[in-house]
Amino acid sequence: MMAQMIRQLLQQTSYNVHIIVKDLRTDETFICERPDAVFSSASLIKVPILLAVLHHVESNNVRLEQVLTITPKDWVDFSVISEQQLQSTTIYELLVWMIITSDNTATNVLIDYIGMDALNRYFREIGLKHTKLQRKMMDFERLANGVDNVTNARDMAHIFTHIYRQDLLMPSFSALAIDILSRQRVHDSLSRYLVDDTRIAHKTGGLDAVDHDVGIVYSDSKDYLIGVFVTEVTNNQDARQLIGRISKVVYEYLVQQKGALK
């Protein structure tokens, strides 16, 4: 059965694995493992940042086409913004790159645009109890001093449930958030072993010791939330394969209905 097969996978790994799987149409939770333990968010923090920027745009009647300035000192690694040496671009483009390629320059420019305190205030307002932005992307000095961005599985399930329900933003911005998350270009975890061309609105996050993937899987038979968050990682490739195996088990039982839920 699904839960039993996943428990077997967990017994075979030395990593700490936090999992939430629930039916988004009925709100029934199928699996909930270590939902409250707080861990390094890595790039998962970009999901609440996405919503916070859209909320700011909506509340202040700002146009997504508004251009923000980027200085060369803003350029950091793992960034198509930096690769292009862009010195300005629109809020919309920054949001898209921040999510679909997990662009760190785009993220940092948006953090500066909204402000770290304002972002954390918004996180609390929408019910995220343990999600905190405490450093910019690629700020390894603060990370070395023990200052990191954090979240937990329950918070990520909370935010993706609201994204699915489209009840945090006006309809056009709610739809845009789902559209951007659905255009994700990093596919080495949740969708790694899925044969079907499945629509998943999701976000990955990874550092040396963590690997995460969380999002919404859309299907004709069932829309479900799945979040797999792996900590104490010593090999990122192994962690992503583990996330893929867990995701495949869930998909087969919830969408392909190959077994009974137990």
Side-chain angles (χ1 to χ4, degrees):
M1 313 316 156
M2 180 173 71
Q4 183 179 348
M5 291 179 70
I6 289 173
R7 275 194 289 272
Q8 289 175 350
L9 288 171
L10 298 184
Q11 289 169 1
Q12 295 166 9
T13 182
S14 61
Y15 303 151
N16 288 332
V17 186
H18 318 247
I19 307 173
I20 286 191
V21 179
K22 76 172 190 176
D23 187 323
L24 286 166
R25 297 179 186 174
T26 67
D27 222 29
E28 178 186 359
T29 298
F30 300 119
I31 301 168
C32 190
E33 296 278 343
R34 300 185 180 186
D36 298 309
V38 176
F39 46 74
S40 171
S41 67
S43 288
L44 298 185
I45 199 73
K46 295 167 183 174
V47 177
I49 291 174
L50 167 69
L51 296 188
V53 174
L54 290 174
H55 172 74
H56 173 85
V57 167
E58 175 184 314
S59 301
N60 294 280
N61 201 24
V62 175
R63 295 172 66 250
L64 284 170
E65 293 75 25
Q66 178 177 318
V67 173
L68 299 185
T69 300
I70 305 166
T71 66
K73 67 180 178 61
D74 292 321
W75 298 334
V76 295
D77 292 339
F78 309 111
S79 164
V80 296
I81 302 290
S82 301
E83 288 173 15
Q84 298 175 85
Q85 298 188 339
L86 295 182
Q87 298 197 26
S88 67
T89 192
T90 63
I91 294 172
Y92 171 77
E93 186 163 344
L94 291 168
L95 288 171
V96 172
W97 288 125
M98 176 177 71
I99 297 299
I100 71 169
T101 62
S102 209
D103 192 288
N104 292 315
T105 300
T107 308
N108 287 345
V109 171
L110 290 169
I111 290 172
D112 286 341
Y113 174 59
I114 302 296
M116 200 171 288
D117 289 343
L119 286 166
N120 283 313
R121 193 158 52 245
Y122 177 77
F123 298 172
R124 292 191 296 273
E125 286 172 2
I126 64 172
L128 300 178
K129 297 180 178 178
H130 299 283
T131 301
K132 295 179 183 175
L133 176 68
Q134 302 180 109
R135 68 175 179 87
K136 292 168 78 170
M137 305 303 109
M138 309 301 287
D139 186 345
F140 295 117
E141 184 176 338
R142 287 179 69 82
L143 184 60
N145 289 326
V147 179
D148 200 3
N149 304 321
V150 295
T151 191
N152 66 8
R154 196 178 298 279
D155 271 9
M156 284 293 111
H158 176 82
I159 194 169
F160 272 95
T161 298
H162 282 290
I163 289 170
Y164 177 79
R165 293 175 180 166
Q166 302 190 37
D167 58 8
L168 290 176
L169 303 164
M170 66 168 54
S172 61
F173 287 129
S174 294
L176 178 62
I178 293 172
D179 173 69
I180 293 173
L181 289 160
S182 299
R183 291 156 60 187
Q184 178 63 247
R185 294 185 185 176
V186 184
H187 301 296
D188 52 1
S189 297
L190 283 180
S191 58
R192 187 183 192 100
Y193 301 124
L194 301 186
V195 175
D196 298 337
D197 186 13
T198 306
R199 184 188 181 203
I200 309 179
H202 69 116
K203 184 73 191 77
T204 58
L207 292 168
D208 287 347
V210 300
D211 252 298
H212 314 308
D213 202 350
V214 56
I216 302 157
V217 178
Y218 293 91
S219 73
D220 292 338
S221 59
K222 198 179 296 288
D223 295 339
Y224 65 90
L225 177 142
I226 177 169
V228 185
F229 315 91
V230 188
T231 60
E232 309 299 325
V233 171
T234 55
N235 183 308
N236 293 102
Q237 188 74 337
D238 286 348
R240 290 164 194 167
Q241 290 173 9
L242 175 62
I243 295 171
R245 290 189 185 101
I246 292 170
S247 176
K248 183 182 180 183
V249 169
V250 172
Y251 182 82
E252 287 180 345
Y253 277 84
L254 295 187
V255 177
Q256 296 178 340
Q257 297 294 324
K258 290 187 176 179
L261 296 174
K262 289 187 180 179

CSV table of all heavy atoms in Angstrom, one decimal, residues 35-72:
chain,number,residue,atom,x,y,z
A,35,PRO,N,6.0,17.0,10.1
A,35,PRO,CA,5.5,18.2,9.5
A,35,PRO,C,6.0,19.5,10.2
A,35,PRO,O,6.0,20.5,9.6
A,35,PRO,CB,4.0,18.1,9.6
A,35,PRO,CG,3.8,17.2,10.8
A,35,PRO,CD,4.9,16.2,10.9
A,36,ASP,N,6.4,19.4,11.5
A,36,ASP,CA,6.6,20.6,12.3
A,36,ASP,C,8.1,20.9,12.5
A,36,ASP,O,8.4,22.0,13.0
A,36,ASP,CB,5.9,20.5,13.6
A,36,ASP,CG,4.4,20.5,13.4
A,36,ASP,OD1,3.8,21.3,12.6
A,36,ASP,OD2,3.7,19.6,14.0
A,37,ALA,N,9.0,20.0,12.1
A,37,ALA,CA,10.4,20.2,12.3
A,37,ALA,C,10.9,21.3,11.3
A,37,ALA,O,10.6,21.3,10.1
A,37,ALA,CB,11.2,18.9,12.0
A,38,VAL,N,11.5,22.3,11.9
A,38,VAL,CA,12.0,23.5,11.1
A,38,VAL,C,13.4,23.1,10.4
A,38,VAL,O,14.2,22.5,11.1
A,38,VAL,CB,12.1,24.7,11.9
A,38,VAL,CG1,12.7,25.9,11.2
A,38,VAL,CG2,10.8,25.1,12.5
A,39,PHE,N,13.5,23.5,9.2
A,39,PHE,CA,14.8,23.2,8.4
A,39,PHE,C,15.1,24.3,7.5
A,39,PHE,O,14.3,25.2,7.3
A,39,PHE,CB,14.6,21.9,7.7
A,39,PHE,CG,13.3,21.8,6.9
A,39,PHE,CD1,13.1,22.5,5.7
A,39,PHE,CD2,12.3,20.9,7.3
A,39,PHE,CE1,12.0,22.4,5.0
A,39,PHE,CE2,11.2,20.7,6.6
A,39,PHE,CZ,11.0,21.5,5.4
A,40,SER,N,16.3,24.3,6.9
A,40,SER,CA,16.7,25.3,6.0
A,40,SER,C,15.8,25.2,4.7
A,40,SER,O,15.6,24.1,4.2
A,40,SER,CB,18.2,25.0,5.5
A,40,SER,OG,18.5,25.8,4.4
A,41,SER,N,15.2,26.4,4.4
A,41,SER,CA,14.3,26.4,3.3
A,41,SER,C,15.0,26.2,1.9
A,41,SER,O,14.3,25.8,0.9
A,41,SER,CB,13.5,27.7,3.3
A,41,SER,OG,14.3,28.8,3.0
A,42,ALA,N,16.2,26.6,1.8
A,42,ALA,CA,16.9,26.8,0.5
A,42,ALA,C,16.0,27.6,-0.4
A,42,ALA,O,15.4,28.6,0.1
A,42,ALA,CB,17.2,25.4,-0.1
A,43,SER,N,15.8,27.3,-1.6
A,43,SER,CA,15.0,28.1,-2.5
A,43,SER,C,13.5,28.0,-2.4
A,43,SER,O,12.8,28.7,-3.1
A,43,SER,CB,15.4,27.8,-4.0
A,43,SER,OG,16.7,28.3,-4.2
A,44,LEU,N,13.0,27.2,-1.5
A,44,LEU,CA,11.5,27.2,-1.2
A,44,LEU,C,11.1,28.5,-0.7
A,44,LEU,O,9.9,28.9,-0.9
A,44,LEU,CB,11.2,26.1,-0.1
A,44,LEU,CG,11.5,24.7,-0.4
A,44,LEU,CD1,10.9,23.8,0.7
A,44,LEU,CD2,10.9,24.2,-1.7
A,45,ILE,N,12.0,29.3,-0.1
A,45,ILE,CA,11.6,30.7,0.4
A,45,ILE,C,11.1,31.5,-0.8
A,45,ILE,O,10.4,32.6,-0.6
A,45,ILE,CB,12.8,31.3,1.1
A,45,ILE,CG1,12.4,32.5,2.0
A,45,ILE,CG2,13.9,31.8,0.1
A,45,ILE,CD1,11.7,32.0,3.2
A,46,LYS,N,11.4,31.2,-2.0
A,46,LYS,CA,11.0,32.0,-3.2
A,46,LYS,C,9.5,31.9,-3.4
A,46,LYS,O,9.0,32.8,-4.1
A,46,LYS,CB,11.8,31.6,-4.4
A,46,LYS,CG,13.3,31.9,-4.2
A,46,LYS,CD,14.2,31.2,-5.3
A,46,LYS,CE,15.7,31.5,-5.0
A,46,LYS,NZ,16.6,30.8,-5.8
A,47,VAL,N,8.9,30.9,-2.9
A,47,VAL,CA,7.4,30.8,-3.1
A,47,VAL,C,6.7,31.9,-2.4
A,47,VAL,O,5.9,32.6,-2.9
A,47,VAL,CB,6.9,29.4,-2.8
A,47,VAL,CG1,5.4,29.3,-3.0
A,47,VAL,CG2,7.6,28.3,-3.7
A,48,PRO,N,6.9,32.0,-1.0
A,48,PRO,CA,6.2,33.1,-0.4
A,48,PRO,C,6.7,34.5,-0.8
A,48,PRO,O,5.9,35.4,-0.8
A,48,PRO,CB,6.5,32.9,1.1
A,48,PRO,CG,7.7,31.9,1.2
A,48,PRO,CD,7.6,31.1,-0.1
A,49,ILE,N,7.9,34.6,-1.3
A,49,ILE,CA,8.4,35.9,-1.9
A,49,ILE,C,7.5,36.2,-3.2
A,49,ILE,O,7.1,37.3,-3.4
A,49,ILE,CB,9.9,35.8,-2.2
A,49,ILE,CG1,10.7,35.8,-0.9
A,49,ILE,CG2,10.3,37.0,-3.1
A,49,ILE,CD1,12.2,35.6,-1.2
A,50,LEU,N,7.3,35.2,-4.0
A,50,LEU,CA,6.4,35.3,-5.2
A,50,LEU,C,5.1,35.9,-4.8
A,50,LEU,O,4.6,36.9,-5.4
A,50,LEU,CB,6.3,34.0,-5.9
A,50,LEU,CG,5.2,33.9,-7.0
A,50,LEU,CD1,5.6,34.7,-8.2
A,50,LEU,CD2,4.9,32.4,-7.4
A,51,LEU,N,4.4,35.3,-3.8
A,51,LEU,CA,3.1,35.8,-3.4
A,51,LEU,C,3.2,37.2,-2.8
A,51,LEU,O,2.3,38.0,-3.0
A,51,LEU,CB,2.5,34.8,-2.4
A,51,LEU,CG,2.2,33.4,-2.9
A,51,LEU,CD1,1.4,32.6,-1.9
A,51,LEU,CD2,1.5,33.4,-4.2
A,52,ALA,N,4.3,37.4,-2.0
A,52,ALA,CA,4.4,38.8,-1.4
A,52,ALA,C,4.6,39.9,-2.4
A,52,ALA,O,4.0,41.0,-2.3
A,52,ALA,CB,5.6,38.7,-0.4
A,53,VAL,N,5.3,39.6,-3.4
A,53,VAL,CA,5.5,40.6,-4.5
A,53,VAL,C,4.2,40.8,-5.2
A,53,VAL,O,3.8,42.0,-5.5
A,53,VAL,CB,6.7,40.2,-5.5
A,53,VAL,CG1,6.7,41.2,-6.6
A,53,VAL,CG2,8.0,40.1,-4.7
A,54,LEU,N,3.5,39.8,-5.6
A,54,LEU,CA,2.2,39.9,-6.2
A,54,LEU,C,1.2,40.7,-5.4
A,54,LEU,O,0.4,41.5,-5.8
A,54,LEU,CB,1.7,38.6,-6.6
A,54,LEU,CG,2.4,37.9,-7.8
A,54,LEU,CD1,1.9,36.4,-8.0
A,54,LEU,CD2,2.4,38.7,-9.1
A,55,HIS,N,1.3,40.4,-4.1
A,55,HIS,CA,0.4,41.1,-3.1
A,55,HIS,C,0.7,42.6,-3.1
A,55,HIS,O,-0.2,43.5,-3.1
A,55,HIS,CB,0.5,40.6,-1.7
A,55,HIS,CG,-0.1,41.3,-0.7
A,55,HIS,ND1,-1.5,41.3,-0.5
A,55,HIS,CD2,0.3,42.2,0.3
A,55,HIS,CE1,-1.8,42.1,0.5
A,55,HIS,NE2,-0.7,42.7,1.0
A,56,HIS,N,2.0,42.9,-3.1
A,56,HIS,CA,2.5,44.3,-3.2
A,56,HIS,C,2.0,45.0,-4.5
A,56,HIS,O,1.5,46.1,-4.4
A,56,HIS,CB,4.0,44.4,-3.1
A,56,HIS,CG,4.6,45.7,-3.3
A,56,HIS,ND1,4.7,46.7,-2.2
A,56,HIS,CD2,5.0,46.4,-4.4
A,56,HIS,CE1,5.2,47.8,-2.7
A,56,HIS,NE2,5.4,47.6,-4.0
A,57,VAL,N,2.2,44.3,-5.6
A,57,VAL,CA,1.8,44.9,-6.9
A,57,VAL,C,0.2,45.1,-6.9
A,57,VAL,O,-0.2,46.2,-7.3
A,57,VAL,CB,2.1,43.9,-8.0
A,57,VAL,CG1,1.5,44.2,-9.3
A,57,VAL,CG2,3.7,43.9,-8.2
A,58,GLU,N,-0.5,44.2,-6.3
A,58,GLU,CA,-2.0,44.3,-6.3
A,58,GLU,C,-2.4,45.4,-5.4
A,58,GLU,O,-3.2,46.2,-5.7
A,58,GLU,CB,-2.5,43.0,-5.8
A,58,GLU,CG,-4.0,42.9,-5.5
A,58,GLU,CD,-4.5,41.6,-5.0
A,58,GLU,OE1,-4.1,40.6,-5.5
A,58,GLU,OE2,-5.3,41.7,-4.0
A,59,SER,N,-1.8,45.5,-4.2
A,59,SER,CA,-2.2,46.5,-3.2
A,59,SER,C,-1.8,47.9,-3.5
A,59,SER,O,-2.5,48.8,-3.1
A,59,SER,CB,-1.6,46.1,-1.8
A,59,SER,OG,-2.0,44.8,-1.4
A,60,ASN,N,-0.7,48.1,-4.2
A,60,ASN,CA,-0.2,49.4,-4.5
A,60,ASN,C,-0.5,49.8,-6.0
A,60,ASN,O,0.1,50.8,-6.4
A,60,ASN,CB,1.3,49.5,-4.2
A,60,ASN,CG,1.5,49.3,-2.7
A,60,ASN,OD1,1.3,50.3,-1.9
A,60,ASN,ND2,1.9,48.1,-2.3
A,61,ASN,N,-1.3,49.0,-6.7
A,61,ASN,CA,-1.6,49.3,-8.1
A,61,ASN,C,-0.4,49.5,-8.9
A,61,ASN,O,-0.3,50.5,-9.8
A,61,ASN,CB,-2.5,50.6,-8.1
A,61,ASN,CG,-3.3,50.6,-9.4
A,61,ASN,OD1,-3.5,49.6,-10.1
A,61,ASN,ND2,-3.7,51.8,-9.8
A,62,VAL,N,0.6,48.7,-8.7
A,62,VAL,CA,1.9,48.7,-9.5
A,62,VAL,C,1.7,47.8,-10.7
A,62,VAL,O,1.1,46.8,-10.7
A,62,VAL,CB,3.1,48.2,-8.6
A,62,VAL,CG1,4.3,48.1,-9.4
A,62,VAL,CG2,3.2,49.1,-7.4
A,63,ARG,N,2.3,48.2,-11.8
A,63,ARG,CA,2.3,47.4,-13.0
A,63,ARG,C,3.4,46.3,-13.0
A,63,ARG,O,4.5,46.6,-12.6
A,63,ARG,CB,2.4,48.3,-14.2
A,63,ARG,CG,1.3,49.2,-14.4
A,63,ARG,CD,1.5,50.2,-15.6
A,63,ARG,NE,1.6,49.6,-16.9
A,63,ARG,CZ,2.7,49.4,-17.6
A,63,ARG,NH1,3.8,49.9,-17.2
A,63,ARG,NH2,2.6,48.8,-18.8
A,64,LEU,N,3.0,45.1,-13.4
A,64,LEU,CA,4.1,44.1,-13.5
A,64,LEU,C,5.2,44.4,-14.5
A,64,LEU,O,6.3,43.9,-14.4
A,64,LEU,CB,3.4,42.7,-13.9
A,64,LEU,CG,2.7,42.0,-12.8
A,64,LEU,CD1,1.9,40.8,-13.4
A,64,LEU,CD2,3.6,41.5,-11.7
A,65,GLU,N,4.8,45.3,-15.4
A,65,GLU,CA,5.8,45.8,-16.4
A,65,GLU,C,6.7,46.9,-15.9
A,65,GLU,O,7.6,47.3,-16.6
A,65,GLU,CB,5.0,46.3,-17.7
A,65,GLU,CG,4.3,45.2,-18.4
A,65,GLU,CD,3.0,44.8,-17.7
A,65,GLU,OE1,2.4,45.6,-16.9
A,65,GLU,OE2,2.6,43.6,-17.9
A,66,GLN,N,6.5,47.3,-14.6
A,66,GLN,CA,7.4,48.3,-14.1
A,66,GLN,C,8.9,47.7,-14.1
A,66,GLN,O,9.1,46.6,-13.7
A,66,GLN,CB,7.0,48.6,-12.6
A,66,GLN,CG,8.0,49.6,-12.0
A,66,GLN,CD,7.5,50.0,-10.6
A,66,GLN,OE1,6.3,50.2,-10.3
A,66,GLN,NE2,8.4,50.1,-9.6
A,67,VAL,N,9.8,48.6,-14.5
A,67,VAL,CA,11.2,48.2,-14.6
A,67,VAL,C,11.9,48.5,-13.3
A,67,VAL,O,11.8,49.6,-12.7
A,67,VAL,CB,11.9,48.9,-15.8
A,67,VAL,CG1,13.4,48.6,-15.8
A,67,VAL,CG2,11.2,48.5,-17.1
A,68,LEU,N,12.7,47.5,-12.8
A,68,LEU,CA,13.6,47.7,-11.6
A,68,LEU,C,15.0,47.7,-12.1
A,68,LEU,O,15.4,47.0,-13.0
A,68,LEU,CB,13.4,46.6,-10.6
A,68,LEU,CG,11.9,46.4,-10.0
A,68,LEU,CD1,12.0,45.3,-9.0
A,68,LEU,CD2,11.4,47.7,-9.5
A,69,THR,N,15.8,48.5,-11.4
A,69,THR,CA,17.2,48.7,-11.7
A,69,THR,C,18.0,47.5,-11.1
A,69,THR,O,17.7,47.1,-9.9
A,69,THR,CB,17.8,50.0,-11.2
A,69,THR,OG1,17.1,51.1,-11.9
A,69,THR,CG2,19.3,50.1,-11.5
A,70,ILE,N,19.0,47.0,-11.8
A,70,ILE,CA,19.9,45.9,-11.3
A,70,ILE,C,21.3,46.5,-11.5
A,70,ILE,O,21.7,46.9,-12.6
A,70,ILE,CB,19.7,44.6,-12.1
A,70,ILE,CG1,18.3,44.2,-12.1
A,70,ILE,CG2,20.6,43.6,-11.6
A,70,ILE,CD1,18.0,43.1,-13.1
A,71,THR,N,22.0,46.5,-10.4
A,71,THR,CA,23.4,46.9,-10.5
A,71,THR,C,24.4,45.7,-10.6
A,71,THR,O,24.0,44.6,-10.2
A,71,THR,CB,23.8,47.8,-9.2
A,71,THR,OG1,23.8,46.9,-8.1
A,71,THR,CG2,22.9,48.9,-9.0
A,72,PRO,N,25.5,45.9,-11.2
A,72,PRO,CA,26.5,44.8,-11.3
A,72,PRO,C,26.8,44.1,-10.0
A,72,PRO,O,27.0,42.9,-9.9
A,72,PRO,CB,27.7,45.4,-11.9
A,72,PRO,CG,27.2,46.5,-12.7
A,72,PRO,CD,26.0,47.1,-11.9
